[in-house]
Amino acid sequence: MPSKTKEKNAAIAAMSAALPKVPKELIDQFVNGPMTGEAV
């Protein structure tokens, strides 16, 4: 019988595999560092 830790790790791996891939070009458009109230 598999341990609960192995079952939990398998569930986490399955969930992370289902996440969509974010293109690097989109990530580059995100703000780096803190924003001012005016920038928002």
Side-chain angles (χ1 to χ4, degrees), residues 18-35:
L19 294 176
K21 302 295 180 200
V22 179
K24 185 179 182 326
E25 295 81 19
L26 181 61
I27 294 174
D28 289 341
Q29 294 178 11
F30 293 154
V31 176
N32 294 326
M35 292 180 67

Side-chain angles (χ1 to χ4, degrees), residues 4-19:
K4 290 196 182 284
T5 303
K6 286 184 180 179
E7 289 176 356
K8 188 183 291 184
N9 288 344
I12 291 170
M15 286 189 300
S16 64
L19 294 176

